[in-house]
Each structure stands twice: as structure tokens, then as C-alpha cells.
Amino acid sequence: MTGRAMDPLPAAAVGAAAEAEADEEADPPAADLPTPQAIEPQAIVQQAAAPSRMQMPQGNPLLLSHTLQELLARDTVQVELIPEKKGLFLKHVEYEVSSQRFKSSVYRRYNDFVVFQEMLLHKFPYRMVPALPPKRMLGADREFIEARRRALKRFVNLVARHPLFSEDVVLKLFLSFSGSDVQNKLKESAQCVGDEFMNCKLATRAKDFLPADIQAQFAISRELIRNIYNSFHKLRDRAERIASRAIDNAADLLIFGKELSAIGSDTTPLPSWAALNSSTWGSLKQALKGLSVEFALLADKAAQQGKQEENDVVEKLNLFLDLLQSYKDLCERHEKGVLHKHQRALHKYSLMKRQMMSAAAQNREPESVEQLESRIVEQENAIQTMELRNYFSLYCLHQETQLIHVYLPLTSHILRAFVNSQIQGHKEMSKVWNDLRPKLSCLFAGPHSALTPPCSPPEDGLCPH
């Protein structure tokens, strides 16, 4: 967002990319991801004490102290399209990914982004991992290619500016590793590491930092974010329409000027009965003949305004919407993931306890009772782990909610960009219109050759003399 405005893609690049997109997505899916092993709470505490693990933050660890300016300054990543064809049949699309922070420029394919996101979800299941643009299996047109490039750029910038992701080795590998096996490198970095719960020193103490009404706060925050998302979605749609109208206006102005010039360049001779007005018609034609230049300049100004609003307004709205959507996805993962597993574990535990009571009442063999007791102990450990994960998930949600509010001042950035675009666009077009008017003095000349605007016709369509 703070970097160079995105330039429109060259037609040749987009066209080649559109041909190659289907082949890119036909690649074999990524290999199965490593899954963290189930570890008892005692082992979790021991692992957290290792010196290579995340360090205890200073002050209240639940509270974030970042500002929007600090997050935006972490990095600015550019994603540009580089279509490349190899062989007669094999084609694929590559993106040049450039990071200001790492001073790096690497080439990535769409499937590299997929593995990168999978590793983030594997290591940070309780954080806002942005979604990737969807696949399109039946080919891709220019509009789809450009939309995907923009979406990938938003994705990687949100990740690069996240307080945790920005310090993780997975991000550094993705942005700076220049080898051909980046997917394997990303997977190797996550093998046998476990997720954030296994590596955070505060994981087993997350409950101690949470407010007593965390569940009520979570429900209120989720509703608030949902409302903000819906409003910004409507704002984005309107902004897209405004930018699109400016681009359509540019095309109309260009055609308008060309048609006026076509009238001025017409060489058809006047009929004899119109000879008395030949001088007037000749003057009009001379004035109209060169208007395509001025109207082309007007069209260029209108197109510039539309493109600027696409880059500075629509894209910032899309970036914020992507962030809000990642928060909504995180809330669903919390409810359908750790919370659901916790409830299932409790249900299984209650069934086993009933079985234990039934076995004792029926005086079963001691071996079967001991096996059932062992299973109950295992389930109790699993429930304890799930309980700890549930509180840690709420702990992370609390921090991610704060992160959303850190990004809320982006609204003022968007409004400022929109207002500045409108002011600058109208100012530049107004200057061109004012420069154009004296060139049409002969069209507006009155009876005494004084410059007067053309009269408005009365209702019958005739102008009085």
C-alpha cells in the first residue's frame, strides 16, 4: 500500500499469462503437510522452556502496542507478472516477488503461494492467515490474471506486515530463497516444529491473561467486525463503479473528439443551394478539425483518474476486506476447530466414565477395568490439552481483534486518497476544458463577433433570433 502504485500489465504479458493459467493450476497438489504430534501438557511446558522457543514478551503480553504506520513500514512487497513458456506444450505463469525489507527479488508460481499459506496455517492456526485468490480451472482471461496478481500482492503484504508472521522463517524463505525447490524448503522449515501453541512460552498460561468476560467480548467483537465488513464491502463496490465510470468516460470523450474531427475533415462538396453559407460551414469545419487532440487529452486525464482510484482507493478497500475476511475465517476455525474438538473430547469422556461405572457394577474382570481406567486417564489428558488450546485460541483471537482495530485508521487513508483523486482529476480536466474554449471562439461568435455561449433552445427546439 505504501509502495509504488500498481501499473497496468502489458497486453502481451497478460495475454501470454491467460494462455498459461490453466496449465499452471493443473500441477500436482502439494504433498501432505506435517502434522504436530499430540503432546501432554507436561511436555508442552518443557518444550516451551527451550531457549530456541518464543521469548516471554515484556509487559502485558495480551496487549498489542503496534501502530498502523509501524505495520506498514515493516515491508512493502511488489508482485509482478512474468509469463513464461517452456517447450511446446508445457506453460506456466511466474510472478516476480520483490521485498523492500529483504532487498530480494525471487520468482514464484501460484502453487508456491499455496504451500506458503499452508505452512502459515500449520504453524499459526489461531492467527489471521489471509485467503488466496481461488483457482480457475477452465483457462483465464486478462481480467482474471490481473485480479489474481493484485490479490496475491495483497496476501503477501498482509502476511509480511503481521507482527508474528513477519518474524517467522517461513516468510523469510518465501521472500528471499532463490532456489528452485522453495516448496520443499518451506515444508522442511515446518517439519517437527509444531504449531504456535507448542512453541509459545505463554501457551499453558493463556487463561491467566484473559478477561473474565472473554466469551462475551468475543461475541461482540465478531458482530462488530461482521458489520464493518459488510459496510466496507458496499464501499468497495461503489468505489469500483466510480473508477469504472471514469474509465468509461475516457473512452466516450475519445470517441466524441474523433467524431467532431471527422466532421471537420469531411471533404464532401456543398450543394449549390447552400453556397451562401459556405464560409460559415468552412469556419466551423476548421474549428472542429483538430479537436481530437484536445479530447484525447481529456480522455487521458479521465483514464488516469480512474486508474488512480483503482490503485489507491479500490485496492486499499480490498486489502482491508481481505484482512476482515481473514478474521471471520479465524472465528470459524476457532468454533469448528479447537472448540468443537474440546466438546467432542468431553462427550467421549462422559461416555467412558459411564462405561467405567457400568463395568464396576457388573463386576467385570480386573484387566478390562484397568484398560478402561487407562483410556480414561488418556482422555483426561486430551481434554486438558484441548482446554489449554481453547484458551490459547481465545488469547490469539483477542490479539488479532486488536490488530483489526490497529488497521481501522486505514479508513482515513482511503478517504484521503479518494478526495485527492477527485480534486486532482477535476482540476486537471477543468484546465483542459478552459484551454479548449478559446479555440472554439468561432463556434460561439455572436452577431458582433463577441464570444458568447450558445443559447439554450426553447421547448420547441428553435433558437429565437
Side-chain angles (χ1 to χ4, degrees), residues 422-448:
Q422 290 290 319
I423 292 173
Q424 185 67 21
H426 288 295
K427 180 180 179 181
E428 292 182 359
M429 291 194 71
S430 177
K431 183 179 184 305
V432 178
W433 284 117
N434 284 325
D435 291 343
L436 175 61
R437 192 177 182 189
K439 299 179 182 179
L440 304 179
S441 58
C442 61
L443 296 177
F444 305 147
H448 304 290

Side-chain angles (χ1 to χ4, degrees), residues 5-50:
M6 288 172 286
D7 299 325
L9 294 175
V14 176
E19 295 175 4
E21 192 67 28
D23 294 318
E24 157 69 7
E25 293 176 342
D27 287 348
D32 293 338
L33 303 178
T35 55
Q37 299 176 352
I39 302 179
E40 296 183 1
Q42 294 84 356
I44 295 172
V45 176
Q46 293 174 1
Q47 282 191 339

Side-chain angles (χ1 to χ4, degrees), residues 84-132:
E84 182 178 342
K85 299 181 180 181
K86 294 184 178 180
L88 295 176
F89 303 103
L90 180 61
K91 305 173 184 177
H92 67 261
V93 176
E94 282 189 327
Y95 301 91
E96 183 178 9
V97 181
S98 305
S99 165
Q100 286 187 2
R101 174 187 175 189
F102 295 104
K103 296 179 174 56
S104 60
S105 182
V106 294
Y107 298 101
R108 297 287 179 258
R109 299 175 63 181
Y110 177 77
N111 285 339
D112 298 333
F113 283 89
V114 172
V115 173
F116 177 45
Q117 189 212 32
E118 288 173 348
M119 293 303 101
L120 288 172
L121 285 169
H122 170 72
K123 296 185 73 173
F124 301 98
Y126 309 125
R127 299 290 179 177
M128 294 187 298
V129 178
L132 286 172

